[in-house]
Amino acid sequence: MNKTKRLEILERLRADNPEPKSELEYSNPFELLVAVTLSAQATDVGVNKATRKLFPVANTPEAIVELGVEGLKEYIKTIGLYNSKANNVYKLSQILIEKHNSQVPESLEALVSLPGVGRKTANVVLNCAFGWPTIAVDTHIFRVSNRTKFAMGKDVDKVEAKLEKVVPKEFKVDVHHWLILHGRYVCVARKPKCGSCIIEDLCEFKEKTE
């Protein structure tokens, strides 16, 4: 895909949604970190249902540690892989207390050293909580980037690197929200909704649907 097409795609996505936000519900960086950690292989809707009950009770590292692993499981047991996620959230809360004065660090290196926090989770936190121009590539972004030929790559790291290279600076803070939402609601996995897509004429996917 050429530079002109990419720019037009980004401008249309921005015009359609000028201030995109994560669909995860949170009110501070720690809540966001917990929510994103819980969202691996789970839906934002499912995570929000659990955190609406959890966060009023425990939304700080100290409160999570006081709740304990078993107590935490009771709030998140509707989420897939909740046993390992409860352990990770408990352990990362301990580390934040011990090493980071109970604050979520504004550092990729520090974030990925936390239990259950990979590069994608760290990038989401840096972007949404701190406004960094990071691009967290999930399954939606990977699919949309490859299907449209906007930024092709054989794995998420290659797609992330390509997006970093081809997305102009002015779009970088918001681009991962636009692509996630586009993949979640329009460019869906099984049968993309090409007929109602605002970038259909720019997309280079060969097998468009009605």
Side-chain angles (χ1 to χ4, degrees):
M1 182 174 286
N2 64 44
K3 185 178 178 181
T4 304
K5 268 191 184 179
R6 285 197 188 99
L7 191 59
E8 177 65 22
I9 284 173
L10 292 168
E11 286 176 345
R12 286 189 197 179
L13 293 173
R14 178 170 64 183
D16 185 59
N17 188 359
E19 296 181 1
K21 298 284 187 290
S22 170
E23 293 190 320
L24 288 170
E25 296 170 1
Y26 65 95
S27 61
N28 60 49
F30 180 71
E31 286 187 0
L32 176 63
L33 175 60
V34 171
V36 182
T37 302
L38 295 176
S39 73
Q41 298 180 50
T43 66
D44 287 1
V45 171
V47 172
N48 289 338
K49 281 182 181 176
T51 57
R52 280 175 202 150
K53 295 176 182 176
L54 171 64
F55 288 156
V57 175
N59 72 339
T60 65
E62 289 84 357
I64 292 288
V65 169
E66 187 174 338
L67 192 60
V69 175
E70 293 307 314
L72 181 55
K73 284 180 185 178
E74 285 302 306
Y75 287 95
I76 67 168
K77 62 187 178 183
T78 54
I79 299 172
L81 308 174
Y82 75 93
N83 283 312
S84 60
K85 288 176 181 178
N87 282 309
N88 285 334
V89 170
Y90 179 81
K91 287 174 186 172
L92 71 80
S93 298
Q94 287 181 312
I95 293 169
L96 291 180
I97 294 167
E98 293 164 8
K99 294 187 176 180
H100 300 287
N101 196 30
S102 298
Q103 300 300 306
V104 175
E106 192 176 342
S107 156
L108 180 67
E109 185 181 17
L111 285 168
V112 297
S113 72
L114 297 171
V117 179
R119 184 180 178 87
K120 180 171 75 76
T121 297
N123 277 336
V124 171
V125 172
L126 291 172
N127 179 278
C128 298
F130 301 112
W132 283 33
T134 51
I135 301 172
V137 178
D138 71 345
T139 54
H140 296 301
I141 293 183
F142 182 77
R143 180 177 65 256
V144 171
S145 297
N146 277 292
R147 183 185 273 165
T148 61
K149 297 185 168 51
F150 185 93
M152 299 178 74
K154 290 183 178 180
D155 56 48
V156 292
D157 291 336
K158 286 186 172 62
V159 169
E160 182 185 334
K162 183 74 172 177
L163 288 168
E164 288 284 355
K165 184 179 177 182
V166 302
V167 175
K169 187 177 179 180
E170 67 175 296
F171 299 102
K172 274 193 176 162
V173 169
D174 293 325
V175 69
H176 101 262
H177 292 296
W178 291 325
L179 295 178
I180 284 173
L181 294 170
H182 194 67
R184 190 172 283 165
Y185 297 111
V186 182
C187 197
V188 294
R190 291 187 180 177
K191 188 179 180 184
K193 301 172 184 176
C194 300
S196 58
C197 174
I198 61 171
I199 60 167
E200 182 185 8
D201 57 315
L202 301 167
C203 167
E204 296 183 5
F205 181 52
K206 294 280 194 293
E207 300 161 35
K208 290 194 171 75
T209 63
E210 290 300 321

mmCIF file of all heavy atoms in Angstrom, residues 48-91:
data_model
loop_
_atom_site.group_PDB
_atom_site.id
_atom_site.type_symbol
_atom_site.label_atom_id
_atom_site.label_comp_id
_atom_site.label_asym_id
_atom_site.label_seq_id
_atom_site.Cartn_x
_atom_site.Cartn_y
_atom_site.Cartn_z
ATOM 1 N N ASN A 48 -14.767 -5.975 31.902
ATOM 2 C CA ASN A 48 -15.480 -4.863 32.547
ATOM 3 C C ASN A 48 -16.516 -5.353 33.550
ATOM 4 O O ASN A 48 -16.696 -4.748 34.616
ATOM 5 C CB ASN A 48 -16.163 -3.984 31.483
ATOM 6 C CG ASN A 48 -15.168 -3.169 30.671
ATOM 7 O OD1 ASN A 48 -14.051 -2.914 31.111
ATOM 8 N ND2 ASN A 48 -15.568 -2.754 29.487
ATOM 9 N N LYS A 49 -17.204 -6.443 33.235
ATOM 10 C CA LYS A 49 -18.198 -6.990 34.165
ATOM 11 C C LYS A 49 -17.550 -7.380 35.488
ATOM 12 O O LYS A 49 -18.107 -7.161 36.563
ATOM 13 C CB LYS A 49 -18.877 -8.225 33.539
ATOM 14 C CG LYS A 49 -19.960 -7.884 32.531
ATOM 15 C CD LYS A 49 -20.617 -9.159 31.987
ATOM 16 C CE LYS A 49 -21.690 -8.818 30.958
ATOM 17 N NZ LYS A 49 -22.263 -10.042 30.347
ATOM 18 N N ALA A 50 -16.351 -7.964 35.381
ATOM 19 C CA ALA A 50 -15.645 -8.386 36.594
ATOM 20 C C ALA A 50 -15.067 -7.188 37.355
ATOM 21 O O ALA A 50 -15.191 -7.105 38.583
ATOM 22 C CB ALA A 50 -14.531 -9.362 36.228
ATOM 23 N N THR A 51 -14.450 -6.259 36.631
ATOM 24 C CA THR A 51 -13.777 -5.145 37.320
ATOM 25 C C THR A 51 -14.772 -4.140 37.915
ATOM 26 O O THR A 51 -14.425 -3.415 38.846
ATOM 27 C CB THR A 51 -12.795 -4.426 36.386
ATOM 28 O OG1 THR A 51 -13.480 -3.947 35.220
ATOM 29 C CG2 THR A 51 -11.660 -5.349 35.975
ATOM 30 N N ARG A 52 -16.004 -4.113 37.396
ATOM 31 C CA ARG A 52 -17.016 -3.230 38.008
ATOM 32 C C ARG A 52 -17.291 -3.632 39.451
ATOM 33 O O ARG A 52 -17.687 -2.799 40.278
ATOM 34 C CB ARG A 52 -18.321 -3.282 37.198
ATOM 35 C CG ARG A 52 -18.307 -2.421 35.944
ATOM 36 C CD ARG A 52 -19.558 -2.607 35.122
ATOM 37 N NE ARG A 52 -19.344 -2.221 33.730
ATOM 38 C CZ ARG A 52 -19.968 -2.751 32.696
ATOM 39 N NH1 ARG A 52 -20.870 -3.705 32.880
ATOM 40 N NH2 ARG A 52 -19.707 -2.334 31.479
ATOM 41 N N LYS A 53 -17.105 -4.912 39.753
ATOM 42 C CA LYS A 53 -17.273 -5.388 41.133
ATOM 43 C C LYS A 53 -15.954 -5.342 41.911
ATOM 44 O O LYS A 53 -15.936 -5.078 43.109
ATOM 45 C CB LYS A 53 -17.818 -6.821 41.113
ATOM 46 C CG LYS A 53 -19.215 -6.927 40.523
ATOM 47 C CD LYS A 53 -19.668 -8.377 40.428
ATOM 48 C CE LYS A 53 -21.057 -8.467 39.799
ATOM 49 N NZ LYS A 53 -21.488 -9.883 39.612
ATOM 50 N N LEU A 54 -14.859 -5.614 41.187
ATOM 51 C CA LEU A 54 -13.546 -5.661 41.850
ATOM 52 C C LEU A 54 -13.038 -4.285 42.260
ATOM 53 O O LEU A 54 -12.608 -4.084 43.405
ATOM 54 C CB LEU A 54 -12.522 -6.327 40.922
ATOM 55 C CG LEU A 54 -11.050 -6.274 41.379
ATOM 56 C CD1 LEU A 54 -10.860 -7.063 42.678
ATOM 57 C CD2 LEU A 54 -10.126 -6.802 40.284
ATOM 58 N N PHE A 55 -13.056 -3.314 41.331
ATOM 59 C CA PHE A 55 -12.388 -2.038 41.584
ATOM 60 C C PHE A 55 -12.973 -1.226 42.744
ATOM 61 O O PHE A 55 -12.216 -0.559 43.460
ATOM 62 C CB PHE A 55 -12.330 -1.203 40.301
ATOM 63 C CG PHE A 55 -11.353 -1.730 39.269
ATOM 64 C CD1 PHE A 55 -11.510 -1.423 37.923
ATOM 65 C CD2 PHE A 55 -10.274 -2.528 39.644
ATOM 66 C CE1 PHE A 55 -10.621 -1.901 36.971
ATOM 67 C CE2 PHE A 55 -9.377 -3.012 38.697
ATOM 68 C CZ PHE A 55 -9.552 -2.693 37.364
ATOM 69 N N PRO A 56 -14.286 -1.267 42.992
ATOM 70 C CA PRO A 56 -14.790 -0.552 44.174
ATOM 71 C C PRO A 56 -14.249 -1.131 45.490
ATOM 72 O O PRO A 56 -14.207 -0.441 46.508
ATOM 73 C CB PRO A 56 -16.314 -0.741 44.088
ATOM 74 C CG PRO A 56 -16.585 -0.937 42.635
ATOM 75 C CD PRO A 56 -15.412 -1.740 42.141
ATOM 76 N N VAL A 57 -13.829 -2.395 45.446
ATOM 77 C CA VAL A 57 -13.287 -3.068 46.636
ATOM 78 C C VAL A 57 -11.757 -2.962 46.679
ATOM 79 O O VAL A 57 -11.164 -2.763 47.751
ATOM 80 C CB VAL A 57 -13.705 -4.565 46.636
ATOM 81 C CG1 VAL A 57 -13.059 -5.314 47.783
ATOM 82 C CG2 VAL A 57 -15.215 -4.678 46.695
ATOM 83 N N ALA A 58 -11.128 -3.112 45.511
ATOM 84 C CA ALA A 58 -9.662 -3.132 45.454
ATOM 85 C C ALA A 58 -9.168 -2.534 44.134
ATOM 86 O O ALA A 58 -9.264 -3.186 43.098
ATOM 87 C CB ALA A 58 -9.148 -4.568 45.607
ATOM 88 N N ASN A 59 -8.659 -1.298 44.201
ATOM 89 C CA ASN A 59 -8.131 -0.672 42.989
ATOM 90 C C ASN A 59 -6.759 -0.035 43.221
ATOM 91 O O ASN A 59 -6.351 0.883 42.509
ATOM 92 C CB ASN A 59 -9.114 0.360 42.419
ATOM 93 C CG ASN A 59 -9.195 1.620 43.254
ATOM 94 O OD1 ASN A 59 -8.840 1.615 44.430
ATOM 95 N ND2 ASN A 59 -9.649 2.703 42.648
ATOM 96 N N THR A 60 -6.061 -0.550 44.246
ATOM 97 C CA THR A 60 -4.671 -0.155 44.505
ATOM 98 C C THR A 60 -3.864 -1.432 44.745
ATOM 99 O O THR A 60 -4.439 -2.476 45.101
ATOM 100 C CB THR A 60 -4.552 0.736 45.756
ATOM 101 O OG1 THR A 60 -4.938 -0.023 46.917
ATOM 102 C CG2 THR A 60 -5.433 1.985 45.644
ATOM 103 N N PRO A 61 -2.542 -1.373 44.568
ATOM 104 C CA PRO A 61 -1.731 -2.567 44.853
ATOM 105 C C PRO A 61 -1.930 -3.085 46.270
ATOM 106 O O PRO A 61 -2.038 -4.296 46.495
ATOM 107 C CB PRO A 61 -0.301 -2.076 44.622
ATOM 108 C CG PRO A 61 -0.430 -0.943 43.662
ATOM 109 C CD PRO A 61 -1.732 -0.272 44.009
ATOM 110 N N GLU A 62 -2.008 -2.159 47.244
ATOM 111 C CA GLU A 62 -2.175 -2.569 48.645
ATOM 112 C C GLU A 62 -3.500 -3.310 48.849
ATOM 113 O O GLU A 62 -3.553 -4.324 49.550
ATOM 114 C CB GLU A 62 -2.131 -1.340 49.565
ATOM 115 C CG GLU A 62 -0.764 -0.706 49.704
ATOM 116 C CD GLU A 62 -0.432 0.266 48.582
ATOM 117 O OE1 GLU A 62 -1.244 0.427 47.641
ATOM 118 O OE2 GLU A 62 0.657 0.859 48.644
ATOM 119 N N ALA A 63 -4.555 -2.801 48.232
ATOM 120 C CA ALA A 63 -5.874 -3.425 48.401
ATOM 121 C C ALA A 63 -5.931 -4.804 47.746
ATOM 122 O O ALA A 63 -6.565 -5.723 48.277
ATOM 123 C CB ALA A 63 -6.960 -2.522 47.815
ATOM 124 N N ILE A 64 -5.242 -4.963 46.612
ATOM 125 C CA ILE A 64 -5.187 -6.273 45.947
ATOM 126 C C ILE A 64 -4.430 -7.271 46.826
ATOM 127 O O ILE A 64 -4.860 -8.419 47.002
ATOM 128 C CB ILE A 64 -4.513 -6.173 44.560
ATOM 129 C CG1 ILE A 64 -5.394 -5.383 43.583
ATOM 130 C CG2 ILE A 64 -4.185 -7.559 44.008
ATOM 131 C CD1 ILE A 64 -6.647 -6.080 43.099
ATOM 132 N N VAL A 65 -3.309 -6.832 47.378
ATOM 133 C CA VAL A 65 -2.515 -7.718 48.246
ATOM 134 C C VAL A 65 -3.327 -8.103 49.483
ATOM 135 O O VAL A 65 -3.316 -9.254 49.918
ATOM 136 C CB VAL A 65 -1.182 -7.040 48.647
ATOM 137 C CG1 VAL A 65 -0.479 -7.831 49.749
ATOM 138 C CG2 VAL A 65 -0.267 -6.933 47.423
ATOM 139 N N GLU A 66 -4.053 -7.144 50.034
ATOM 140 C CA GLU A 66 -4.884 -7.428 51.211
ATOM 141 C C GLU A 66 -6.007 -8.406 50.850
ATOM 142 O O GLU A 66 -6.368 -9.279 51.650
ATOM 143 C CB GLU A 66 -5.483 -6.127 51.750
ATOM 144 C CG GLU A 66 -6.209 -6.312 53.068
ATOM 145 C CD GLU A 66 -6.675 -4.997 53.685
ATOM 146 O OE1 GLU A 66 -6.116 -3.938 53.343
ATOM 147 O OE2 GLU A 66 -7.617 -5.055 54.503
ATOM 148 N N LEU A 67 -6.540 -8.270 49.660
ATOM 149 C CA LEU A 67 -7.605 -9.176 49.199
ATOM 150 C C LEU A 67 -7.080 -10.603 49.089
ATOM 151 O O LEU A 67 -7.785 -11.564 49.407
ATOM 152 C CB LEU A 67 -8.123 -8.692 47.840
ATOM 153 C CG LEU A 67 -9.412 -9.297 47.290
ATOM 154 C CD1 LEU A 67 -10.585 -9.047 48.231
ATOM 155 C CD2 LEU A 67 -9.708 -8.708 45.907
ATOM 156 N N GLY A 68 -5.822 -10.747 48.633
ATOM 157 C CA GLY A 68 -5.209 -12.074 48.499
ATOM 158 C C GLY A 68 -5.608 -12.760 47.208
ATOM 159 O O GLY A 68 -6.590 -12.383 46.555
ATOM 160 N N VAL A 69 -4.863 -13.773 46.832
ATOM 161 C CA VAL A 69 -5.094 -14.476 45.575
ATOM 162 C C VAL A 69 -6.481 -15.112 45.549
ATOM 163 O O VAL A 69 -7.228 -14.985 44.571
ATOM 164 C CB VAL A 69 -4.015 -15.557 45.328
ATOM 165 C CG1 VAL A 69 -4.344 -16.373 44.082
ATOM 166 C CG2 VAL A 69 -2.644 -14.916 45.183
ATOM 167 N N GLU A 70 -6.842 -15.798 46.624
ATOM 168 C CA GLU A 70 -8.143 -16.487 46.653
ATOM 169 C C GLU A 70 -9.301 -15.489 46.629
ATOM 170 O O GLU A 70 -10.321 -15.714 45.977
ATOM 171 C CB GLU A 70 -8.240 -17.400 47.885
ATOM 172 C CG GLU A 70 -7.279 -18.580 47.852
ATOM 173 C CD GLU A 70 -7.383 -19.409 46.579
ATOM 174 O OE1 GLU A 70 -8.524 -19.718 46.167
ATOM 175 O OE2 GLU A 70 -6.330 -19.730 45.996
ATOM 176 N N GLY A 71 -9.135 -14.392 47.341
ATOM 177 C CA GLY A 71 -10.163 -13.357 47.339
ATOM 178 C C GLY A 71 -10.320 -12.736 45.961
ATOM 179 O O GLY A 71 -11.439 -12.475 45.502
ATOM 180 N N LEU A 72 -9.195 -12.521 45.300
ATOM 181 C CA LEU A 72 -9.199 -11.950 43.949
ATOM 182 C C LEU A 72 -9.896 -12.882 42.962
ATOM 183 O O LEU A 72 -10.668 -12.429 42.096
ATOM 184 C CB LEU A 72 -7.757 -11.674 43.517
ATOM 185 C CG LEU A 72 -7.519 -11.049 42.148
ATOM 186 C CD1 LEU A 72 -8.290 -9.748 41.985
ATOM 187 C CD2 LEU A 72 -6.018 -10.809 41.928
ATOM 188 N N LYS A 73 -9.658 -14.159 43.105
ATOM 189 C CA LYS A 73 -10.273 -15.149 42.198
ATOM 190 C C LYS A 73 -11.797 -15.063 42.221
ATOM 191 O O LYS A 73 -12.449 -15.265 41.195
ATOM 192 C CB LYS A 73 -9.832 -16.570 42.583
ATOM 193 C CG LYS A 73 -8.426 -16.920 42.161
ATOM 194 C CD LYS A 73 -8.085 -18.340 42.594
ATOM 195 C CE LYS A 73 -6.635 -18.682 42.284
ATOM 196 N NZ LYS A 73 -6.281 -20.050 42.744
ATOM 197 N N GLU A 74 -12.362 -14.775 43.371
ATOM 198 C CA GLU A 74 -13.813 -14.696 43.482
ATOM 199 C C GLU A 74 -14.399 -13.612 42.577
ATOM 200 O O GLU A 74 -15.511 -13.740 42.078
ATOM 201 C CB GLU A 74 -14.227 -14.437 44.938
ATOM 202 C CG GLU A 74 -14.094 -15.659 45.841
ATOM 203 C CD GLU A 74 -14.927 -16.830 45.339
ATOM 204 O OE1 GLU A 74 -16.144 -16.652 45.124
ATOM 205 O OE2 GLU A 74 -14.352 -17.925 45.143
ATOM 206 N N TYR A 75 -13.620 -12.541 42.363
ATOM 207 C CA TYR A 75 -14.101 -11.434 41.530
ATOM 208 C C TYR A 75 -13.867 -11.672 40.039
ATOM 209 O O TYR A 75 -14.582 -11.116 39.206
ATOM 210 C CB TYR A 75 -13.412 -10.123 41.941
ATOM 211 C CG TYR A 75 -13.906 -9.574 43.251
ATOM 212 C CD1 TYR A 75 -13.243 -9.853 44.439
ATOM 213 C CD2 TYR A 75 -15.050 -8.776 43.309
ATOM 214 C CE1 TYR A 75 -13.700 -9.357 45.658
ATOM 215 C CE2 TYR A 75 -15.521 -8.275 44.519
ATOM 216 C CZ TYR A 75 -14.835 -8.575 45.685
ATOM 217 O OH TYR A 75 -15.299 -8.075 46.885
ATOM 218 N N ILE A 76 -12.849 -12.477 39.718
ATOM 219 C CA ILE A 76 -12.491 -12.604 38.294
ATOM 220 C C ILE A 76 -12.717 -14.014 37.737
ATOM 221 O O ILE A 76 -12.287 -14.322 36.631
ATOM 222 C CB ILE A 76 -11.020 -12.175 38.062
ATOM 223 C CG1 ILE A 76 -10.034 -13.146 38.741
ATOM 224 C CG2 ILE A 76 -10.792 -10.748 38.533
ATOM 225 C CD1 ILE A 76 -8.584 -12.947 38.318
ATOM 226 N N LYS A 77 -13.441 -14.851 38.476
ATOM 227 C CA LYS A 77 -13.584 -16.255 38.073
ATOM 228 C C LYS A 77 -14.415 -16.441 36.800
ATOM 229 O O LYS A 77 -14.437 -17.523 36.226
ATOM 230 C CB LYS A 77 -14.156 -17.092 39.218
ATOM 231 C CG LYS A 77 -15.538 -16.685 39.682
ATOM 232 C CD LYS A 77 -15.923 -17.478 40.932
ATOM 233 C CE LYS A 77 -17.295 -17.042 41.440
ATOM 234 N NZ LYS A 77 -17.639 -17.753 42.704
ATOM 235 N N THR A 78 -15.095 -15.382 36.362
ATOM 236 C CA THR A 78 -15.842 -15.468 35.101
ATOM 237 C C THR A 78 -14.941 -15.231 33.883
ATOM 238 O O THR A 78 -15.376 -15.395 32.745
ATOM 239 C CB THR A 78 -16.972 -14.419 35.077
ATOM 240 O OG1 THR A 78 -16.403 -13.128 35.350
ATOM 241 C CG2 THR A 78 -18.033 -14.738 36.113
ATOM 242 N N ILE A 79 -13.681 -14.842 34.135
ATOM 243 C CA ILE A 79 -12.736 -14.549 33.051
ATOM 244 C C ILE A 79 -11.860 -15.774 32.800
ATOM 245 O O ILE A 79 -11.419 -16.438 33.739
ATOM 246 C CB ILE A 79 -11.845 -13.341 33.429
ATOM 247 C CG1 ILE A 79 -12.701 -12.090 33.664
ATOM 248 C CG2 ILE A 79 -10.813 -13.062 32.345
ATOM 249 C CD1 ILE A 79 -11.921 -10.920 34.216
ATOM 250 N N GLY A 80 -11.606 -16.077 31.537
ATOM 251 C CA GLY A 80 -10.745 -17.209 31.194
ATOM 252 C C GLY A 80 -9.358 -17.091 31.816
ATOM 253 O O GLY A 80 -8.833 -15.992 31.984
ATOM 254 N N LEU A 81 -8.777 -18.235 32.183
ATOM 255 C CA LEU A 81 -7.436 -18.304 32.789
ATOM 256 C C LEU A 81 -7.357 -17.518 34.098
ATOM 257 O O LEU A 81 -6.324 -16.972 34.443
ATOM 258 C CB LEU A 81 -6.374 -17.783 31.802
ATOM 259 C CG LEU A 81 -6.380 -18.406 30.394
ATOM 260 C CD1 LEU A 81 -5.384 -17.690 29.493
ATOM 261 C CD2 LEU A 81 -6.052 -19.889 30.454
ATOM 262 N N TYR A 82 -8.470 -17.477 34.831
ATOM 263 C CA TYR A 82 -8.510 -16.603 36.015
ATOM 264 C C TYR A 82 -7.538 -17.026 37.119
ATOM 265 O O TYR A 82 -7.072 -16.187 37.895
ATOM 266 C CB TYR A 82 -9.937 -16.490 36.567
ATOM 267 C CG TYR A 82 -10.448 -17.699 37.314
ATOM 268 C CD1 TYR A 82 -10.328 -17.797 38.695
ATOM 269 C CD2 TYR A 82 -11.073 -18.749 36.626
ATOM 270 C CE1 TYR A 82 -10.808 -18.898 39.384
ATOM 271 C CE2 TYR A 82 -11.558 -19.849 37.309
ATOM 272 C CZ TYR A 82 -11.425 -19.924 38.680
ATOM 273 O OH TYR A 82 -11.897 -21.022 39.364
ATOM 274 N N ASN A 83 -7.210 -18.317 37.198
ATOM 275 C CA ASN A 83 -6.278 -18.756 38.244
ATOM 276 C C ASN A 83 -4.900 -18.130 38.071
ATOM 277 O O ASN A 83 -4.339 -17.534 38.999
ATOM 278 C CB ASN A 83 -6.159 -20.285 38.255
ATOM 279 C CG ASN A 83 -7.349 -20.958 38.905
ATOM 280 O OD1 ASN A 83 -7.765 -20.571 39.987
ATOM 281 N ND2 ASN A 83 -7.914 -21.955 38.254
ATOM 282 N N SER A 84 -4.355 -18.254 36.852
ATOM 283 C CA SER A 84 -3.026 -17.688 36.602
ATOM 284 C C SER A 84 -3.066 -16.163 36.617
ATOM 285 O O SER A 84 -2.126 -15.502 37.079
ATOM 286 C CB SER A 84 -2.459 -18.194 35.270
ATOM 287 O OG SER A 84 -3.294 -17.831 34.200
ATOM 288 N N LYS A 85 -4.166 -15.589 36.144
ATOM 289 C CA LYS A 85 -4.289 -14.127 36.135
ATOM 290 C C LYS A 85 -4.352 -13.575 37.557
ATOM 291 O O LYS A 85 -3.773 -12.517 37.849
ATOM 292 C CB LYS A 85 -5.518 -13.703 35.328
ATOM 293 C CG LYS A 85 -5.342 -13.904 33.827
ATOM 294 C CD LYS A 85 -6.600 -13.568 33.053
ATOM 295 C CE LYS A 85 -6.402 -13.791 31.565
ATOM 296 N NZ LYS A 85 -7.634 -13.513 30.783
ATOM 297 N N ALA A 86 -5.047 -14.281 38.449
ATOM 298 C CA ALA A 86 -5.109 -13.843 39.849
ATOM 299 C C ALA A 86 -3.717 -13.852 40.476
ATOM 300 O O ALA A 86 -3.329 -12.910 41.179
ATOM 301 C CB ALA A 86 -6.052 -14.744 40.642
ATOM 302 N N ASN A 87 -2.967 -14.911 40.203
ATOM 303 C CA ASN A 87 -1.595 -14.977 40.719
ATOM 304 C C ASN A 87 -0.744 -13.845 40.177
ATOM 305 O O ASN A 87 0.020 -13.211 40.917
ATOM 306 C CB ASN A 87 -0.957 -16.324 40.341
ATOM 307 C CG ASN A 87 -1.423 -17.451 41.242
ATOM 308 O OD1 ASN A 87 -1.374 -17.325 42.471
ATOM 309 N ND2 ASN A 87 -1.881 -18.543 40.668
ATOM 310 N N ASN A 88 -0.860 -13.560 38.873
ATOM 311 C CA ASN A 88 -0.064 -12.498 38.261
ATOM 312 C C ASN A 88 -0.416 -11.121 38.815
ATOM 313 O O ASN A 88 0.470 -10.324 39.126
ATOM 314 C CB ASN A 88 -0.252 -12.504 36.734
ATOM 315 C CG ASN A 88 0.486 -13.645 36.070
ATOM 316 O OD1 ASN A 88 1.478 -14.146 36.574
ATOM 317 N ND2 ASN A 88 -0.002 -14.071 34.911
ATOM 318 N N VAL A 89 -1.703 -10.838 38.942
ATOM 319 C CA VAL A 89 -2.134 -9.531 39.450
ATOM 320 C C VAL A 89 -1.689 -9.350 40.900
ATOM 321 O O VAL A 89 -1.242 -8.259 41.298
ATOM 322 C CB VAL A 89 -3.664 -9.358 39.305
ATOM 323 C CG1 VAL A 89 -4.146 -8.110 40.061
ATOM 324 C CG2 VAL A 89 -4.050 -9.259 37.834
ATOM 325 N N TYR A 90 -1.776 -10.413 41.677
ATOM 326 C CA TYR A 90 -1.318 -10.349 43.073
ATOM 327 C C TYR A 90 0.197 -10.082 43.131
ATOM 328 O O TYR A 90 0.651 -9.187 43.861
ATOM 329 C CB TYR A 90 -1.643 -11.661 43.784
ATOM 330 C CG TYR A 90 -1.187 -11.701 45.228
ATOM 331 C CD1 TYR A 90 -1.947 -11.099 46.234
ATOM 332 C CD2 TYR A 90 0.005 -12.338 45.594
ATOM 333 C CE1 TYR A 90 -1.534 -11.121 47.559
ATOM 334 C CE2 TYR A 90 0.427 -12.363 46.915
ATOM 335 C CZ TYR A 90 -0.348 -11.764 47.895
ATOM 336 O OH TYR A 90 0.064 -11.777 49.203
ATOM 337 N N LYS A 91 0.951 -10.826 42.336
ATOM 338 C CA LYS A 91 2.410 -10.672 42.356
ATOM 339 C C LYS A 91 2.850 -9.317 41.828
ATOM 340 O O LYS A 91 3.762 -8.685 42.368
ATOM 341 C CB LYS A 91 3.068 -11.794 41.542
ATOM 342 C CG LYS A 91 3.023 -13.156 42.214
ATOM 343 C CD LYS A 91 3.568 -14.235 41.286
ATOM 344 C CE LYS A 91 3.410 -15.628 41.881
ATOM 345 N NZ LYS A 91 3.764 -16.684 40.896
#
